[in-house]
Each structure stands twice: as structure tokens, then as C-alpha cells.
Amino acid sequence: MHTTQHFINGQFVPSTSGKTFEKRSPLDNSLMGLVAEGGQAEVDAAVAAAKAARHGDWGSMPTDKRVAMLHAVADGITARFDDFVAAEEADTGQPHHVIAHAFVPRGAANFKVFADIVKNVPAESFVMDTPDGAGALNYAIRKPKGVIGVISPWNAPFLLMTWKVGPALACGNTVVVKPSEETPATATLLGEVMNAVGVPAGVYNVVHGFGPDAVGEQITRHDDVDAITFTGETRTGTAIMKAAADGIRDVSFELGGKNAGIVFADCDFDAAVEGIFRSAFMNTGQVCLGTERVYVQRPIFDRFVAALKARCEAVKYGRPSDAGSNYGPLISQEHKRKVLSYYAKAMAEGATLVTGGGVPDMPAALAQGAWVQPTIWTNLPETASVVREEIFGPCCHIRPFDSEDEVVVLANANRYGLSTTIWTENLKCAHRMAAAVEVGITWVNSWFLRDLRTPFGGSKQSGIGREGGVHSLEFYTDMRNVCIKL
Ligand code: NAD
Ligand code: 6OD
């Protein structure tokens, strides 16, 4: 049986303890293979390798050469595109078009874009007056922060991991990555690309294992990890922030969301139905930016609910390789139990079930997989748990609204503030809404359209800091000022 190994100091290695854990397929719960389960020994070895590389070949490499090497990494990913797609499909069970068009190409882009930004970013400078009239020149220089701990989730594993590793390496740091225990494959495969293009040993390290009281926490507590970038649940962010406080390490957090989709009566109706459908159900609803609360203006409410119901009932369940399949399973049995518990809670709280609400009838070969139906509810109060809490599944509650002021209050009445998608043909209304909704990212007549130069992150309990474009440099570099008396 295949065992996925750690990637430490340029080598694929097992755990010194010999421990492994099982990776099961979300499609049918079959055993896909084993994964090396790291511990303190692997974290220490990976951090030591990253620290040595930071002060060695990688640290002394001229920017031009580093930039060229990261372009080569991007090209290496593209050259092995089918391998990355196959690995991600096997780990997540998601449809081929989602992985091949939305997720894996971003892996290559995450290296290219940040290499180019680092090469082209200007430095800040100020000339100041001095009493002798000669003045002084201030200029800022950016230095890598050091060893960055990258802790990533399972929902878009390759996109989300490289979204951190790309800018971290472009800025001259080295990394120790802890991918989710559910999705170890693509982070490991990237080690092969790093070696193939000649990235020095120790620059990119991967340690597999679990989070609390395990390698995740050990990375966040390690004295030689200089900063931590994390994507995942808000309550995990709280634990990591506490760990980072010992040692005053910087954190960048992309956390949970309970995002509102807002549909005005003047919208392009078909585009809005398709946009809200994608935002609520793509990747089986496992997208932090996804919509779990939909507010639709009253004149089109009934028609909209009926159209979204029809769209949900037309999904084609299946393996990524099945022709025509466009809807996959949840990531795991554990996540299926969580999502189904919310499906039960919605009914207990008095929801009207529009569609779904359970487990689909699957052919025998897939019956043990983590399948759940796309689900829509109406008629719940805003206090209901499925309207307040992040479920991270293929489901949404739809509520009618009358006025712009009313829907702003509804959208903002939540502890999260990650994103919103607004559908209207009225540009003035779109601008007013974008200013009023308390989120890091607003999409108008679109969703998940990503320009990597823009600031990305969450407001309120959806995150700390912004990454993307030059904003990534704020986190991945230490900016220093030099003052020269003229
Ligand atoms: P999670 O928080 O359970 O796990 C994320 C990672 O953290 C995993 O690698 C896990 O092993 C590790 N981890 C868990 N506890 C830890 C600890 N105490 N110390 C160190 N590491 C620890 O999240 P998940 O279930 O993998 O992902 C789903 C969540 O991620 C959802 O809440 C979703 O909204 C969020 N998410 C947010 C964004 C964003 O951009 N804001 C993007 C994707 C996912
Ligand atoms: O597009 C990105 O950069 C990003 N971080 C997407 C997050 C998706 C969440 O599931």
C-alpha cells in the first residue's frame, strides 16, 4: 500500500516513529493509502532545514534568480498538470472541471504573480528637511521574515496552500507546510517539482499529520518559526493566535464565513440564479467564500426559489471521471455527519424544506461515500442556527427582503465578514451596498472572480490581515527604514 511521505530538506521521508494514518476516498470511503504521521521530530527537522536554507543558498540568491526559479516552479506545475489534477481529484472527489479549471491552474498562477510583484514593487522613500539645511534621505528596504509556518485546509488544498507558499518564497522566506490531514497529495507532489527545477533543499518542506496537540500545533509553537499563515476555521485561528502569542509571532488568518448573497428585483434573473447556484453549491458548498444566506427582493422571491430548486435538482452526482458529473461528495464521513446534523437542526427549528435535506440514492459502488443532497430552506428566523453558523456544506437559507436598508442590516447581523455577492443592474445601488456590507470582498454580478493583485481577506471574525498583490508583502517581509543624513 502506498504511503505518502513528508518532504523535508529536499527528501521524501517517513516518520521517525514509523506512525501513519489512513487516507480514505470521499467517493466511496475506500482506503486509498497511508500517510506518514509526523511529530515533534519531523517538525524540528523541517524547521531546521528551512532555517538553514534561509541563511544559505536561498537567502543569498539574487532576486532575479529567485524570481526565475519561481517561474520555473509554475511551469513545472503546468508541465505536470494532469498529475496535480488527478491527485486533487482523488483526495477531494470534486468534479474534473472544478479542479482542472478553477483550482489547479491557480497553483501555477500563485507562483508567477508573486514572483512578478516582488520583482516590480517600488521602494518607499522620503527626503526630509534638517536644521542644517542639508536634509536627510529615508528609504525602506524589505527583508524576508524568515521561516513561515503554512497551515492549510482541505477544501481547495492546492490553491490555498500555494496562495501562501508562492508569496512567501517570492519574498525570500522558506516554508514549513502542514496540509490538511484530509488532503496530503498535492502538497507532496509539489516537492517533486521543487526538486526538478532546482529549488534548494530546505526551502519548501511538508510535514503531514494532525492539528491540535500534533504537528500543526508544534509548528505554531516552534521558536524558530517566525510567522504563521493559516487558512481554516475561526476557532482554530483562536488556538493558533494563542500559540503565536508566545514568541510574539505575526499571524495572517483567512477564516470562516457565513456569506450573504443579495439579489435585487432588477437583476439579470438567469445570471443571478446561476451565480447564486455556483456560490452556494460549487465544490459541494465547501468554499469559504460561498453563500449560505440568500436574500432575495420580494417581487422575484417565489420565482427565484423555484429556479434555484430546479437547478439543484438537476445536479449530476458522480466520480470526477464520470462524463457529465458536476457534483461531488463532501470531504469525509466526519464532515458528512456535521452537515447532516445541520440538515436535521434546520427541520427541528421549523424550516420549510424546498429541496434536498438528506442523502441521495447512489449506485452501490458509491453508496458508502460522503454524499449529501444540495439543500434549500426558507421560513427560518435569522436566529436559527443554520442561518447564523457556518455549515460549510451545499445548503442555503433564502429569505425575502423589501428595502436596501433592511437587507444591509440582515447581511451584517453575523459575526463573520468574509464576502458577499450582490446581483443588481443598478450601479448606484451596487456601490452603496458594497460600502455598507461589512466584508473583505464584495462581488457584484459575479462570484469568485479573482485578480491576484487585489487585497484578499476577511473582516470581523473572518480573518486578520490582507494578502494579495503588494499586500502579501506586508506580511511576508519585514520592512525596515534607513535614514541617511545628507
Ligand atoms: P480547520 O481549521 O479544521 O483545519 C485547517 C488546518 O489547521 C488543518 O491543516 C488542520 O490540521 C490544522 N489545525 C487544526 N487545529 C490546529 C491547531 N490547534 N494548531 C495548528 N493547526 C491546526 O479547517 P478545515 O476544516 O480544514 O477547513 C474548513 C474551514 O476553513 C472553514 O471554516 C472555512 O471557512 C475555512 N476556510 C477559509 C478560507 C478563507 O480564505 N477565509 C479559505 C478556505 C477555508
Ligand atoms: O482565491 C483565493 O486566493 C482564496 N484564498 C480562495 C479561498 C477559497 C476558499 O474556499
Side-chain angles (χ1 to χ4, degrees), residues 273 277 281 302-315 353-356 374-376 398:
V273 170
F277 173 78
F281 301 107
D302 290 342
R303 193 173 149 226
F304 189 92
V305 172
L308 201 64
K309 170 182 190 303
R311 195 66 184 77
C312 286
E313 290 174 358
V315 300
L353 183 66
V354 175
T355 189
T375 293
I376 301 174
I398 317 186

Coordinates of all heavy atoms in Angstrom, one line a residue, residues 273 277 281 302-315 353-356 374-376 398:
V273 N -29.5 33.6 -10.8 CA -29.8 32.2 -10.4 C -28.5 31.4 -10.5 O -28.1 30.7 -9.6 CB -30.9 31.6 -11.2 CG1 -31.0 30.1 -10.9 CG2 -32.2 32.3 -10.9
F277 N -26.3 29.9 -7.5 CA -26.2 28.4 -7.5 C -24.7 28.1 -7.4 O -24.3 27.3 -6.5 CB -26.7 27.8 -8.8 CG -26.4 26.4 -8.9 CD1 -27.2 25.4 -8.2 CD2 -25.4 25.9 -9.7 CE1 -26.9 24.1 -8.2 CE2 -25.1 24.5 -9.7 CZ -25.8 23.6 -9.0
F281 N -23.2 26.1 -4.2 CA -23.1 24.7 -4.4 C -21.8 24.2 -5.0 O -21.6 23.0 -5.1 CB -24.4 24.2 -5.1 CG -25.6 24.5 -4.4 CD1 -26.5 25.5 -4.8 CD2 -25.9 23.8 -3.2 CE1 -27.7 25.8 -4.1 CE2 -27.1 24.1 -2.5 CZ -28.0 25.1 -2.9
D302 N -40.5 34.2 -5.1 CA -41.0 32.9 -5.4 C -40.4 32.3 -6.6 O -40.0 31.1 -6.7 CB -42.5 32.9 -5.5 CG -43.2 33.2 -4.2 OD1 -42.5 33.0 -3.1 OD2 -44.4 33.6 -4.2
R303 N -40.2 33.2 -7.6 CA -39.7 32.7 -8.9 C -38.2 32.3 -8.7 O -37.8 31.3 -9.3 CB -39.8 33.9 -9.9 CG -39.5 33.5 -11.3 CD -39.8 34.7 -12.2 NE -39.0 34.7 -13.4 CZ -38.3 35.7 -13.9 NH1 -38.4 36.9 -13.3 NH2 -37.5 35.6 -15.0
F304 N -37.5 33.1 -7.9 CA -36.1 32.8 -7.7 C -35.9 31.4 -6.9 O -35.1 30.6 -7.3 CB -35.4 33.9 -6.9 CG -33.9 33.8 -6.8 CD1 -33.1 34.4 -7.7 CD2 -33.3 33.0 -5.8 CE1 -31.7 34.2 -7.7 CE2 -32.0 32.8 -5.7 CZ -31.2 33.4 -6.7
V305 N -36.7 31.2 -5.9 CA -36.6 30.0 -5.1 C -36.9 28.8 -6.0 O -36.2 27.8 -6.0 CB -37.6 30.0 -3.9 CG1 -37.6 28.7 -3.2 CG2 -37.2 31.1 -2.9
A306 N -37.9 28.9 -6.9 CA -38.3 27.8 -7.8 C -37.1 27.6 -8.8 O -36.8 26.4 -9.1 CB -39.6 28.2 -8.5
A307 N -36.5 28.6 -9.3 CA -35.4 28.4 -10.3 C -34.2 27.8 -9.6 O -33.5 26.9 -10.2 CB -35.1 29.8 -10.9
L308 N -33.9 28.2 -8.4 CA -32.7 27.6 -7.7 C -33.0 26.2 -7.3 O -32.1 25.3 -7.4 CB -32.4 28.4 -6.4 CG -30.9 28.3 -5.9 CD1 -29.9 28.8 -7.0 CD2 -30.7 29.0 -4.6
K309 N -34.2 25.9 -6.9 CA -34.6 24.5 -6.6 C -34.4 23.6 -7.9 O -33.8 22.5 -7.8 CB -36.1 24.5 -6.2 CG -36.7 23.1 -6.1 CD -38.2 23.3 -5.7 CE -39.0 22.1 -5.3 NZ -39.1 21.0 -6.1
A310 N -34.9 24.1 -9.0 CA -34.8 23.3 -10.3 C -33.3 23.1 -10.6 O -32.9 22.0 -11.0 CB -35.4 24.1 -11.4
R311 N -32.5 24.1 -10.4 CA -31.0 24.0 -10.7 C -30.4 22.9 -9.8 O -29.6 22.1 -10.2 CB -30.4 25.4 -10.4 CG -29.0 25.6 -11.0 CD -29.0 25.5 -12.5 NE -27.7 25.6 -13.0 CZ -26.8 24.7 -13.0 NH1 -27.1 23.5 -12.5 NH2 -25.6 24.8 -13.4
C312 N -30.8 22.9 -8.5 CA -30.2 21.9 -7.5 C -30.7 20.5 -7.9 O -29.9 19.6 -7.8 CB -30.7 22.2 -6.1 SG -30.0 23.6 -5.3
E313 N -31.9 20.4 -8.3 CA -32.4 19.1 -8.6 C -31.9 18.5 -9.9 O -32.1 17.3 -10.2 CB -34.0 19.1 -8.6 CG -34.4 19.3 -7.1 CD -35.9 19.5 -6.9 OE1 -36.7 19.5 -8.0 OE2 -36.4 19.6 -5.8
A314 N -31.2 19.4 -10.7 CA -30.6 18.9 -12.0 C -29.1 18.5 -11.8 O -28.5 18.1 -12.8 CB -30.7 20.0 -13.0
V315 N -28.6 18.5 -10.6 CA -27.1 18.2 -10.5 C -26.9 16.7 -10.8 O -27.8 15.9 -10.6 CB -26.5 18.5 -9.1 CG1 -26.6 19.9 -8.7 CG2 -27.0 17.6 -8.0
L353 N -38.6 23.0 4.0 CA -37.6 22.3 3.1 C -38.0 22.5 1.6 O -39.1 22.0 1.2 CB -37.5 20.9 3.4 CG -36.4 20.1 2.7 CD1 -35.0 20.6 3.0 CD2 -36.6 18.6 3.0
V354 N -37.2 23.2 0.9 CA -37.5 23.5 -0.5 C -37.0 22.3 -1.4 O -37.7 21.8 -2.3 CB -36.9 24.8 -1.0 CG1 -37.1 25.0 -2.5 CG2 -37.4 26.0 -0.2
T355 N -35.8 21.8 -1.1 CA -35.3 20.7 -1.8 C -34.2 20.1 -1.0 O -33.6 20.7 -0.1 CB -34.8 21.1 -3.2 OG1 -34.5 19.9 -3.9 CG2 -33.5 21.9 -3.1
G356 N -33.9 18.8 -1.2 CA -32.8 18.1 -0.6 C -33.1 17.7 0.8 O -34.1 17.1 1.1
P374 N -27.8 18.7 -2.3 CA -27.9 20.2 -2.2 C -29.3 20.5 -1.6 O -30.3 19.9 -2.0 CB -27.8 20.6 -3.7 CG -28.0 19.4 -4.6 CD -27.8 18.2 -3.7
T375 N -29.2 21.4 -0.7 CA -30.4 21.7 0.1 C -30.7 23.2 0.3 O -29.8 24.0 0.4 CB -30.1 21.0 1.5 OG1 -30.0 19.6 1.4 CG2 -31.2 21.4 2.6
I376 N -32.0 23.5 0.2 CA -32.5 24.8 0.3 C -33.6 24.9 1.4 O -34.5 24.0 1.4 CB -33.1 25.4 -1.0 CG1 -32.0 25.3 -2.1 CG2 -33.6 26.8 -0.8 CD1 -32.6 25.7 -3.5
I398 N -33.0 30.9 2.2 CA -33.4 32.0 1.3 C -34.5 32.8 2.1 O -35.5 32.2 2.5 CB -33.9 31.6 -0.1 CG1 -33.0 30.5 -0.7 CG2 -33.9 32.8 -1.0 CD1 -33.4 30.2 -2.1

